[in-house]
Amino acid sequence: MSDLSVSLSLLLGIVVFSELARRTALYLLSDRTRSVYALELISTFQLCACTHELKLLAEVGGLEPRIGLTCTFVISVVHALSFHGAICNPTGVLEQLCRATLTRRRALARVSCQLFAAALARETMPHAWALSLSDLHARHGSTGFKCTSSPINASLLQAAAVELGCAFVMHTAVSNVHRVQEMCRVPAIAAVITTLVYAGGHITGAVFNPALAFSMQFPCPGNTFTEYSVVYWLGPTLGMIASLLLCEKVVPVFLGKSTISNSNGLRRRKIK
């Protein structure tokens, strides 16, 4: 329980630090374009850093699944409420690019911010663990704060299919969440994330986010960079494309509608 308490305190510290950084960025950067990229970087760092700690709790700390899933749900709600519009997922950026709500230049800039933040979180968390605030962190130090085995517990094709399926469900849920009562939207998405983690976590970790996977899974031994790219980058990208085609091409045919639109069914003006 002491390990859990320390980890929860660390998670709280990461969220508070990130929120202070976001508010500072919004105050200092009057240019909306720059502030958007700053929010993307800070929020993606928050997502990756918190998930590193949750992964440590589950894999090294032996956290009970029900407690782990509860933590996943709660932190997902916190992320959704604190990100200030940041996407924090390259496939989310690609979806907006396909919907013509982002230009290629801005999409590339956002993805670059996400990957930089993911790498930064990966390099930062070992310094926090090195403080040995808990026995869990001290035990993790014996491995050099590194993964000791591959996160993929299935064939490459099966693992890619799991990430594809998770991304498909997630993007479909986000595209249709406007149909849910507003006060229930954030908990609904958090519930979807928690369910996907429960269903696919034992196979691939159920990451369905290329930036998050780059931070957490790619440094692990057992598979090559190319194999991880197929599972954690190609899989979610194909899942996003499948969801987009279903929601914007297949379903509208049956409903007598057409064209790619935003989640409210209205065309968006491209952001230059």
Side-chain angles (χ1 to χ4, degrees), residues 40-266:
E40 198 71 59
L41 194 153
I42 296 166
S43 298
T44 304
F45 173 85
Q46 174 183 317
L47 171 66
C48 293
C50 288
T51 309
H52 271 288
E53 186 65 21
L54 289 176
K55 180 183 179 183
L56 179 64
L57 270 173
E59 295 184 357
V60 180
L63 189 66
E64 292 183 37
R66 61 185 179 85
I67 299 178
L69 291 172
T70 301
C71 290
T72 299
F73 176 83
V74 172
I75 199 66
S76 297
V77 171
V78 171
H79 288 330
L81 294 175
S82 63
F83 279 175
H84 294 270
I87 302 172
C88 305
N89 188 335
T91 60
V93 175
L94 290 176
E95 181 178 359
Q96 289 200 10
L97 180 62
C98 292
R99 293 178 184 274
T101 60
L102 277 180
T103 62
R104 279 178 285 186
R105 181 174 62 84
R106 291 202 171 191
L108 179 60
R110 286 206 181 205
V111 171
S112 298
C113 288
Q114 292 165 359
L115 293 177
F116 178 79
L120 182 62
R122 184 173 65 199
E123 297 301 320
T124 301
M125 288 308 293
H127 293 287
W129 293 329
L131 298 175
S132 298
L133 299 175
S134 68
D135 291 338
L136 172 63
H137 293 166
R139 291 199 306 273
H140 192 38
S142 64
T143 64
F145 307 112
K146 296 180 180 179
C147 295
T148 57
S149 61
S150 172
I152 299 176
N153 298 306
S155 69
L156 201 64
L157 185 59
Q158 290 174 325
V162 168
E163 289 295 310
L164 185 156
C166 288
F168 173 81
V169 172
M170 187 63 200
H171 281 274
T172 303
V174 171
S175 295
N176 292 277
V177 74
H178 65 280
R179 304 177 189 276
V180 180
Q181 193 174 18
E182 187 172 359
M183 64 179 297
C184 299
R185 291 175 187 174
V186 169
I189 293 300
V192 171
I193 293 173
T194 305
T195 302
L196 292 175
V197 170
Y198 173 76
H202 63 289
I203 301 176
T204 63
V207 182
F208 50 93
N209 181 330
L212 183 57
F214 180 69
S215 184
M216 288 188 359
Q217 313 293 57
F218 276 59
C220 297
N223 293 90
T224 65
F225 182 90
T226 301
E227 290 171 336
Y228 282 135
S229 298
V230 169
V231 173
Y232 294 110
W233 285 0
L234 181 60
T237 300
L238 293 178
M240 179 276 295
I241 293 173
S243 173
L244 189 63
L245 290 174
L246 175 68
C247 295
E248 303 296 345
K249 293 296 184 181
V250 178
V251 172
V253 168
F254 291 100
L255 298 179
K257 301 177 182 179
S258 63
T259 73
I260 290 184
S261 57
N262 67 9
S263 60
N264 293 316
L266 300 174

Side-chain angles (χ1 to χ4, degrees), residues 24-39:
T24 301
L26 289 172
Y27 177 76
L28 296 177
L29 300 175
S30 56
D31 184 353
R32 183 179 179 278
T33 300
R34 293 183 180 180
S35 64
V36 164
Y37 298 140
L39 292 176

